[in-house]
Amino acid sequence: MKAGIVGLPNVGKSTLFNCLSNAKAQSANFPFCTIEPNIGVVNVPDQRLEKLEELVHPERVVPATVEIVDIAGLVKGASKGEGLGNQFLGNIRETNAILHVLRCFDNDNIVHVDGSVNPIRDKETIDMELQLKDLESVDKKLEKVKRAAKTGNKEAQKEEAVLNAIKQGLESGTSVRAIEISEEDRDEYVSPMQLITDKPVMYVCNVDEGSATTGNAYVEKVKEAVANENAEVIFLAVGTEADITELETYEERQMFLEDLGLSEPGSAKLIRGAYKLLDLETYFTAGVKEVRAWTIPVGATAPQAAGVIHTDFEKGFIRAEVISYDDYIKYGSESKVKEAGRMRVEGKEYIVKDGDIMHFRFNV
């Protein structure tokens, strides 16, 4: 599961990517410096893991991770192949969610590809290119469906109506995620098309250091503009985040954050947001050898969760021994949880809850 960072050239995408992954993708004050999409595997900050480490004292701790892809800057005309358009659109299609970076700071020393700072215009530029690409896909699909609908095929007629609604929405500048379609029709006809503007999105407002704790007028405008999209908006000072990652020790970073009035780096908030955007959650295994966070899709069953560790665990699943995170912290150890009668035995139908501490019994 991958989240792709998109935006116009020079809005701070590669600098943000560097902060997130420490992969040090090239960042420079000119467009198209990220030509191959850089992929970073990023640890998901989770205080629960730290608490479990304090109680269990394991030999090692393994956090959950999320893949972040840094994609080349988009320009007007990308849907027709301008700039690195076709490559950009191919790369973004392969991601599961979008982190759309918007420049929300003034700085005369950093050129803006359109000459002035206006995050709403920037958002609309990218939206329009993505919508045009989706419109191409919808038109192609409509051609096939119309032929079937003319023969009286009821299913095709229903699909044609849904596709026409999407086409009208896209033509009026509305992204697919904001078009009103029933959940059932969306699952049946829209999701299989993997349209770019149907992907979940988080708008990342890149602000100046002085706005890192409260945001600014640009951020408020973005929130208003995306109110109908069911999208999350966060703000962080990407330049400042880059300075934080350069500091050597945890203590230095904490002092820097305190000076800014922040409790944690904005990048931590963004990574957790991306994880949630991808519809992922975490369960834990906790033993003296290892305390580990495992990533599963929201709604996964116990056997599916076991399969993340090893496919044999899923195939031979017998049962799961489950402790809720709160109980583990309250009683302080697995044995004390058992004594208190708070360990549960769950079968194949159990839906794993975020934060469950699990041990699987299986037979191969």
Side-chain angles (χ1 to χ4, degrees):
M1 298 289 275
K2 295 188 286 199
I5 301 178
V6 306
L8 290 177
N10 284 1
V11 295
K13 297 185 311 304
S14 293
T15 308
L16 175 63
F17 177 80
N18 291 342
C19 297
L20 297 178
S21 66
N22 289 332
K24 303 298 175 204
Q26 182 190 6
S27 73
N29 185 14
F30 55 86
F32 305 135
C33 99
T34 311
I35 295 184
E36 289 303 317
N38 293 291
I39 298 180
V41 178
V42 183
N43 290 342
V44 179
D46 194 330
Q47 286 181 329
R48 297 174 301 183
L49 208 52
E50 292 162 30
K51 286 264 178 23
L52 289 171
E53 183 183 7
E54 285 168 22
L55 293 174
V56 180
H57 305 296
E59 287 172 25
R60 65 179 191 150
V61 176
V62 183
T65 59
V66 63
E67 275 194 15
I68 307 281
V69 187
D70 179 25
I71 295 170
L74 187 81
V75 291
K76 266 184 200 146
S79 55
K80 297 182 178 65
E82 290 292 324
L84 296 166
N86 293 330
Q87 191 178 329
F88 171 98
L89 293 159
N91 292 334
I92 194 174
R93 205 182 282 287
E94 288 166 19
T95 64
N96 307 91
I98 296 170
L99 307 175
H100 186 159
V101 182
L102 295 166
R103 177 170 168 177
C104 293
F105 66 90
D106 296 304
N107 183 336
D108 294 340
N109 296 321
I110 298 177
V111 293
H112 189 291
V113 74
D114 284 333
S116 62
V117 177
N118 182 338
I120 307 307
R121 178 201 58 212
D122 296 354
K123 171 193 167 331
E124 286 167 356
T125 297
I126 287 207
D127 280 354
M128 189 171 75
E129 296 305 326
L130 301 183
Q131 287 158 6
L132 286 168
K133 204 67 189 170
D134 278 350
L135 197 53
E136 264 181 44
S137 304
V138 171
D139 281 338
K140 275 183 196 157
K141 183 83 176 180
L142 255 174
E143 273 178 46
K144 290 180 190 165
V145 172
K146 274 179 176 166
R147 286 198 290 273
K150 276 180 186 162
T151 67
N153 180 320
K154 291 274 187 287
E155 191 62 23
Q157 287 169 350
K158 194 176 173 191
E159 185 170 6
E160 184 184 13
V162 174
L163 290 172
N164 276 323
I166 295 173
K167 182 177 164 74
Q168 281 175 344
L170 287 167
E171 285 174 341
S172 67
T174 306
S175 291
V176 176
R177 74 181 77 83
I179 298 170
E180 277 193 38
I181 303 163
S182 75
E183 199 70 38
E184 191 185 328
D185 286 347
R186 200 172 269 282
D187 290 344
E188 184 71 24
Y189 308 117
V190 186
S191 299
M193 292 181 73
Q194 292 187 300
L195 297 169
I196 299 171
T197 67
D198 193 34
K199 293 179 192 290
V201 65
M202 178 196 289
Y203 292 98
V204 182
C205 298
N206 182 9
V207 299
D208 56 283
E209 188 174 307
S211 306
T213 52
T214 56
N216 57 24
Y218 289 133
V219 176
E220 293 313 310
K221 282 181 183 165
V222 172
K223 285 179 179 173
E224 281 170 37
V226 306
N228 71 329
E229 282 192 44
N230 190 26
E232 200 175 333
V233 178
I234 70 164
F235 57 86
L236 69 164
V238 174
T240 308
E241 296 286 323
D243 292 341
I244 293 169
T245 59
E246 293 298 320
L247 296 171
E248 293 297 318
T249 67
Y250 174 78
E251 287 73 23
E252 283 177 315
R253 291 194 287 275
Q254 287 307 111
M255 279 170 63
F256 193 145
L257 288 167
E258 278 169 29
D259 288 346
L260 293 171
L262 295 169
S263 57
E264 65 174 354
S267 53
K269 192 167 58 174
L270 187 146
I271 295 163
R272 283 198 300 271
Y275 195 69
K276 200 169 142 204
L277 201 63
L278 290 164
D279 218 19
L280 300 174
E281 62 184 11
T282 302
Y283 78 87
F284 301 103
T285 50
V288 287
K289 285 260 180 237
E290 178 182 88
V291 164
R292 185 169 187 147
W294 299 90
T295 300
I296 51 170
V298 171
T301 60
Q304 287 167 336
V308 174
I309 299 176
H310 197 288
T311 49
D312 286 351
F313 282 30
E314 184 170 2
K315 284 179 199 154
F317 179 90
I318 300 169
R319 65 178 185 272
E321 293 165 359
V322 184
I323 302 170
S324 80
Y325 172 78
D326 289 341
D327 279 345
Y328 203 105
I329 299 304
K330 180 180 172 181
Y331 294 101
S333 72
E334 187 177 312
S335 56
K336 294 228 175 79
V337 171
K338 280 180 182 169
E339 279 169 30
R342 298 293 294 172
M343 179 185 273
R344 309 189 313 277
V345 175
E346 301 286 1
K348 290 183 176 180
E349 306 303 312
Y350 178 66
I351 304 294
V352 179
K353 294 180 180 62
D354 186 54
D356 277 350
I357 291 139
M358 306 186 78
H359 182 70
F360 299 104
R361 299 290 178 190
F362 66 99
N363 180 24
V364 177

